[in-house]
Amino acid sequence: MPVFQFNPPERFIAGTVGQPGERTFFLQAVGEGRITSVALEKAQVEALAGRIEELLEEVHRRFGAPPGDDSTPEDEGPLEQPIEQDFRVGTLALAWDAEAARVIIEAQEVDESGVEELVEDDDEEEELEVFAEEAPAHRDVLRVYLTPGEARSFAGRALKVVSAGRPDCPLCGRPLDPAGHICARQNGYRPDRLV
């Protein structure tokens, strides 16, 4: 399993490419002359930032203020160029290394083998076994080690990136599009396809 490991990174940020409503979200780690950029969903970025805050609160509650929890300025710079997607994130993991006093963020590549979706009934079982043998057995992983201060800085920027999209409609709360907006509160009808 290829692991892109940064311990410590020179930079680790969340950023976007594209216009609001059509943005692609990235986590980008830079260090030792390498740039690793992984694509993920907006909700994953938001959840990661929230979980980092929860993890650091729990660490503080259990162990007191960890070393390296000092204020780190937020990195406000753009993503490093060129942005080449190394993989798309399927699973995010978060851990605390008490010995090193570091937050560990791990992003695993999405499993696109489709093995689970291939078979619907027993008649196709043989085809599944052949496909499973040919499917890649590894997934790429991005693993980053951050001090508590760096993790807080990352989470702060990530939340700003998430909220910098389209403004919400004051009536229905859905994002406003520059081309127009069908508001469920104004016409009383919201088809399921628009959810």
Side-chain angles (χ1 to χ4, degrees):
M1 161 173 76
V3 176
F4 302 96
Q5 184 161 296
F6 293 83
N7 185 11
E10 293 169 18
R11 284 183 89 198
F12 181 60
I13 58 171
T16 62
V17 173
Q19 296 299 314
E22 299 175 5
R23 298 184 297 170
T24 301
F25 287 78
F26 287 94
L27 295 180
Q28 189 177 73
V30 179
E32 299 176 356
R34 301 178 293 150
I35 300 172
T36 301
S37 302
V38 297
L40 70 171
E41 299 298 323
K42 176 181 178 178
Q44 289 175 302
V45 174
E46 188 172 27
L48 177 60
R51 295 286 190 252
I52 287 172
E53 291 296 337
E54 290 173 11
L55 174 71
L56 291 173
E57 286 175 21
E58 181 67 17
V59 166
H60 195 292
R61 188 183 64 75
R62 285 187 176 186
F63 308 110
D69 198 18
D70 51 338
S71 174
T72 303
E74 274 184 29
D75 183 340
E76 296 181 6
L79 293 168
E80 297 287 332
Q81 300 291 330
I83 301 169
E84 296 177 8
Q85 178 180 317
D86 290 288
F87 61 87
R88 177 161 282 286
V89 175
T91 304
L92 287 166
L94 188 61
W96 172 251
D97 182 347
E99 190 174 306
R102 295 287 186 265
V103 173
I104 304 170
I105 299 171
E106 188 172 280
Q108 294 182 1
E109 182 178 20
V110 68
D111 183 7
E112 295 178 352
S113 65
V115 173
E116 297 82 11
E117 299 173 4
L118 184 63
V119 172
E120 294 294 326
D121 57 58
D122 293 334
D123 295 337
E124 299 176 8
E125 190 170 312
E126 289 178 32
E127 185 179 340
L128 172 64
E129 290 173 7
V130 171
F131 184 78
E133 289 173 10
E134 295 172 1
H138 70 278
R139 289 187 280 176
D140 292 346
V141 173
L142 169 63
R143 187 175 300 137
V144 180
Y145 295 77
L146 302 173
T147 66
E150 291 168 340
R152 282 187 202 283
S153 174
F154 167 83
R157 176 190 167 120
L159 290 174
K160 286 180 183 174
V161 166
V162 167
S163 66
R166 298 173 288 175
D168 291 334
C169 172
L171 297 175
C172 70
R174 294 183 42 90
L176 291 170
D177 290 323
H181 173 68
I182 299 173
C183 182
R185 302 284 304 273
Q186 287 183 342
N187 66 10
Y189 176 72
R190 179 171 147 191
D192 291 337
R193 291 190 185 118
L194 296 177
V195 175

